[in-house]
Amino acid sequence: MKTNFTYITFKQIEEWQNRPLEDKVTAAADIINEALGLTNNQAIAFSGGKNSLVALHIILKFKPDIKVVFCNTGVEYPQSLKFTRQVAKDWNLNFYELRPEMNFWKIVKKYGFPDPRRWVNREPKCCWYLKTKPANDFYRANNIDCVFTGISAFESRTRKLKIAERGPMYWAKRVGDTKFKKPILRVHPLAYWTDKDIWEYIELNNLPVNPIYEFQDRNGCMTCTGFIGWEKFLSKINPALYRKIMHMMGRTILEDFGGG
């Protein structure tokens, strides 16, 4: 099933939702092959999350020595950090663990905490300094001309619109505030996969699962306040960290009034 991946309409993306997993694996393979044929020095952004794990597993079949780039933000969940390093060891990855120049607490002290309502229009400063900038610096220093991700159109309406606009692969001269000397091919092999597809592929291929999914349905920074419901989750998994962040925000919690 060969597909033209340079452009696909919003309606066509919706039609992919209920297609069988076999079709989506084939599409992912076609996207990967096309990207490898267009570029010379590739990398994959690996977070340890379920999507990037599946993308990595498929890409390794075509490019076993691909550079695997993990941005250790310094505020990763301990379970997730351990899992990511274990996968790198068990799969014998060409693994690069990057660290940012600034730490999370200095960033939020200067720029404030990420707000879910502002995600649509701009990337939070903490994401930029902890993830995007270190990755971009690595890509530029190592002359990377192609970056694979585990992004899916079905993760959010914003991502669906962007993939409909650009397709699952596109040339980017700029990522955030970083301008590259030569454009980098951004590639999303799982652009048309749903969460159900991801979990089905993991089960069929007996892939390891990040233990963070025992507690929540997302992988990310432990201190993230950029998603709806972070208060409820963090107050349960790490009450001390929850209290610290709330007080830094100048917000009160029930305990401040003698409550439970």
Side-chain angles (χ1 to χ4, degrees):
M1 183 184 60
K2 186 66 176 176
T3 307
N4 177 10
F5 294 114
T6 56
Y7 176 80
I8 187 168
T9 66
F10 192 92
K11 182 179 179 181
Q12 287 172 316
I13 291 176
E14 290 290 328
E15 291 172 352
W16 272 91
Q17 188 164 359
N18 296 317
R19 288 200 189 185
L21 178 61
E22 182 181 357
D23 286 359
K24 296 176 183 181
V25 172
T26 300
D30 287 344
I31 292 169
I32 292 166
N33 269 322
E34 187 173 337
L36 292 176
L38 293 170
T39 56
N40 299 306
N41 191 14
Q42 303 87 9
I44 177 172
F46 182 54
S47 68
K50 64 184 190 304
N51 280 44
S52 63
L53 181 78
V54 169
L56 175 62
H57 186 260
I58 298 174
I59 289 167
L60 288 174
K61 297 176 182 179
F62 300 89
K63 183 77 175 178
D65 62 342
I66 191 169
K67 295 178 179 66
V68 181
V69 180
F70 168 63
C71 292
N72 181 352
T73 61
V75 283
E76 302 291 324
Y77 287 98
Q79 304 96 320
S80 187
L81 184 59
K82 181 179 179 181
F83 172 82
T84 301
R85 290 171 173 168
Q86 191 63 51
V87 169
K89 180 181 178 181
D90 293 344
W91 290 11
N92 192 29
L93 300 178
N94 186 10
F95 186 70
Y96 296 82
E97 182 173 326
L98 311 183
R99 294 181 180 273
E101 296 177 357
M102 293 180 68
N103 71 46
F104 175 81
W105 303 108
K106 288 182 179 179
I107 294 169
V108 296
K109 185 176 182 180
K110 183 174 182 179
Y111 298 106
F113 286 89
D115 185 335
R117 294 169 297 180
R118 298 176 183 173
W119 268 87
V120 174
N121 298 319
R122 64 184 177 88
E123 180 181 41
K125 289 293 184 180
C126 53
C127 285
W128 165 252
Y129 283 109
L130 298 180
K131 295 180 181 180
T132 308
K133 186 178 184 301
N136 287 348
D137 290 346
F138 176 87
Y139 301 149
R140 189 161 50 183
N142 290 274
N143 297 314
I144 301 297
D145 59 2
C146 173
V147 178
F148 292 95
T149 80
I151 288 176
S152 164
F154 296 104
E155 292 178 283
S156 69
R157 181 174 177 81
T158 299
R159 288 190 168 175
K160 189 180 294 184
L161 288 170
K162 287 184 177 180
I163 288 175
E165 176 186 356
R166 299 171 174 174
M169 67 169 70
Y170 61 92
W171 292 99
K173 293 182 179 180
R174 177 188 294 273
V175 177
D177 292 336
T178 301
K179 188 174 182 180
F180 298 99
K181 292 181 180 179
K182 294 182 179 179
I184 287 184
L185 187 63
R186 306 281 294 183
V187 187
H188 313 312
L190 309 185
Y192 311 126
W193 292 46
T194 64
D195 261 9
K196 180 178 178 293
D197 298 319
I198 296 294
W199 288 118
E200 183 179 347
Y201 184 93
I202 288 173
E203 184 175 357
L204 286 173
N205 291 275
N206 196 29
L207 301 187
V209 177
N210 190 327
I212 196 63
Y213 292 112
E214 296 175 11
F215 307 101
Q216 62 176 1
D217 60 1
R218 64 182 299 278
N219 176 54
C221 295
M222 185 164 51
T223 51
C224 185
T225 61
F227 65 97
I228 296 174
W230 71 267
E231 301 100 323
K232 182 179 180 180
F233 172 75
L234 189 59
S235 64
K236 289 182 178 180
I237 195 171
N238 195 325
L241 183 59
Y242 166 71
R243 288 193 295 270
K244 177 179 180 178
I245 291 176
M246 290 291 282
H247 288 157
M248 287 180 68
M249 287 179 164
R251 294 167 60 181
T252 55
I253 57 178
L254 187 60
E255 290 180 356
D256 295 333
F257 300 98

